[in-house]
Amino acid sequence: ILGSRRTGETQTINIPQTFNTGKNMWIIKPINLNRGRCIQVLNDTKSIVEYLLKIQEMKKIEGDHNNNFKCEHIIVQKYLEKPLLYQGRKFDIRIWILMIGGQENFVYIFKQGHLKATCDEFDINSSSPFIHLTNYSVQKYNIDFSKKEIGNEISYKDFQDELDKKNSGKSFIRDIYPKIVYIIRLAIGSAKSNINHLNRVNCFEIFGCDFILDENYKPYLLEINMNPGLEISSPLISQLVPRMVDDALKLTIDKKYYKEREETVFHHVDGYHDWENMWEKYSVI
C-alpha cells in the first residue's frame, strides 16, 4: 500500500510473484554513485531505516574518505527474488543508448550489448555481494573472477546458446529484446523534457541501461547510468566499445565537422558490415 502525504489517498500495487517469495528482500542504492558503492541488500524495515540514517549522518562528515556517502538521494527498490540465472548465476544486461541534442523525441539503441554475470551461484539467503551485485568493480575482487568467462561478460550469442541448451523455447532477439526496447522508449519518453533542458543542439550523451530478467523471461529496467564504464575488460568489450563510440561520433561530431569522413580504421563486430552504423533509431513513447 502506497500512501500519498498530500492527499492521504492510498493505492494498492501488486508486486509480481517473482519479486516476493517470502524473503522480503530490498536493495538500497544511491542514485549518483557507481561501481556498486554503498549498495545494500536488506530484508527488514529496521535494517533499512538504520542504514538510511547512517548515510544521512555520514554525509555531514567532511573528508575525502566519505565520498562514497556524498549522494543526493537513495533508491529503495524491491529486489527480484526469482531472477533468471545464467549457469546458476545472477546476471543483468547492459545496453547502450545514445541521446542527441535536438532529437529528444528519439533514442538510439546500440544493436549489441552484453550480459554481466556474478562469479558465485545465486543464493537468496546469502548476503555476499559476489552473489547479488553484478558490477565489474565488485566481481573483479572474487578469486573466481574471469574463470568462466573473461571479465564475467557474456555475448548475446552465448546467452542464446544457453537458452537453447536449456530448451527454453525462447529467442532473445525475438521474444525478449523487443520488450527491452519498448521499456527504453517509454523510460526516455517520460524523462525527455529533463534530459536537455537548455535545448542545446550540438551535444550528445551515451547512457548505459541495465536490465534484469525474472525466471519467466520478463525484463525489468534496473537503472540508467549517466557514466557507463567503457574500459576494455574482455575480448567481447574490446570488440563492441570502439565500434559503439565510433558509430556514435558518426551520428554526432561527424555530422557537424566531417560531412564525408574517409574511413581509415574499421572496428569490426562479428555479424555486421564494417560500413553499417550499429545504432538503431527509435521514437520515444
Side-chain angles (χ1 to χ4, degrees):
I1 305 295
L2 301 181
S4 168
R5 285 186 290 179
R6 183 174 62 85
T7 65
E9 297 174 352
T10 60
Q11 180 184 6
T12 301
I13 302 296
N14 294 318
I15 298 177
Q17 186 178 4
T18 50
F19 278 80
N20 188 15
T21 63
K23 300 298 182 180
N24 195 37
M25 304 293 287
W26 296 78
I27 187 165
I28 295 86
K29 54 188 177 183
I31 68 165
N32 59 334
L33 295 180
N34 55 10
R35 303 195 301 271
R37 290 180 292 168
C38 295
I39 295 180
Q40 292 283 320
V41 178
L42 303 170
N43 65 354
D44 67 274
T45 305
K46 181 180 178 182
S47 297
I48 292 174
V49 171
E50 287 177 350
Y51 186 62
L52 295 178
L53 290 174
K54 175 185 176 183
I55 292 178
Q56 189 176 46
E57 290 301 313
M58 292 295 289
K59 285 172 65 176
K60 300 177 183 177
I61 303 174
E62 297 297 329
D64 293 340
H65 63 285
N66 278 326
N67 283 341
N68 283 352
F69 293 93
K70 302 300 182 182
C71 46
E72 297 176 5
H73 300 286
I74 300 291
I75 291 177
V76 180
Q77 187 179 54
K78 186 67 189 73
Y79 187 84
L80 179 60
E81 297 182 14
K82 282 191 173 183
L84 183 68
L85 304 179
Y86 181 87
Q87 298 179 359
R89 296 169 289 146
K90 184 182 174 184
F91 69 91
D92 61 36
I93 305 171
R94 165 60 56 87
I95 294 182
W96 294 295
I97 67 172
L98 170 69
M99 296 295 297
I100 300 176
Q103 298 188 43
E104 281 70 40
N105 288 323
F106 298 95
V107 59
Y108 293 82
I109 303 176
F110 198 66
K111 292 180 181 180
Q112 286 291 314
H114 61 97
L115 278 61
K116 301 173 292 172
T118 62
C119 294
D120 298 341
E121 291 191 358
F122 184 71
D123 179 3
I124 191 64
N125 297 308
S126 173
S127 60
S128 170
F130 294 129
I131 287 177
H132 296 292
L133 305 182
T134 61
N135 306 63
Y136 174 88
S137 299
V138 173
Q139 294 297 324
K140 69 180 181 180
Y141 295 107
N142 191 300
I143 59 173
D144 292 325
F145 181 67
S146 284
K147 286 188 177 180
K148 296 182 174 67
E149 310 90 16
I150 299 178
N152 283 37
E153 290 159 336
I154 302 152
S155 68
Y156 287 173
K157 180 182 181 302
D158 287 341
F159 180 44
Q160 184 60 56
D161 290 343
E162 182 68 12
L163 293 176
D164 295 340
K165 183 179 178 180
K166 293 168 62 176
N167 295 317
S168 68
K170 295 291 182 180
S171 164
F172 175 71
I173 297 300
R174 183 193 66 224
D175 302 319
I176 301 171
Y177 187 73
K179 297 176 181 178
I180 289 175
V181 169
Y182 176 79
I183 294 172
I184 291 174
R185 294 172 62 203
L186 192 65
I188 298 302
S190 70
K192 67 178 183 179
S193 62
N194 295 319
I195 291 175
N196 184 18
H197 57 87
L198 295 179
N199 296 317
R200 293 190 175 101
V201 176
N202 298 315
C203 64
F204 67 96
E205 187 153 359
I206 294 170
F207 299 94
C209 297
D210 289 334
F211 285 84
I212 193 168
L213 306 180
D214 69 11
E215 66 175 8
N216 297 322
Y217 303 94
K218 183 177 180 178
Y220 294 91
L221 176 62
L222 291 175
E223 60 186 9
I224 299 179
N225 297 276
M226 293 187 296
N227 56 341
L230 300 180
E231 67 271 17
I232 303 304
S233 50
S234 69
L236 173 62
I237 300 304
S238 70
Q239 186 179 108
L240 295 182
V241 165
R243 178 66 173 270
M244 183 268 291
V245 173
D246 195 50
D247 281 358
L249 297 179
K250 290 177 182 177
L251 293 172
T252 53
I253 291 179
D254 285 8
K255 296 285 187 182
K256 178 71 176 176
Y257 297 103
Y258 305 101
K259 301 300 182 182
E260 295 181 4
R261 190 218 295 185
E262 182 179 349
E263 289 285 2
T264 57
V265 177
F266 290 99
H267 302 286
H268 180 72
V269 172
D270 295 339
Y272 295 89
H273 295 293
D274 289 339
W275 48 262
E276 174 185 2
N277 197 300
M278 291 179 61
W279 287 102
E280 197 164 7
K281 188 177 182 179
Y282 295 90
S283 59
V284 303
I285 299 174

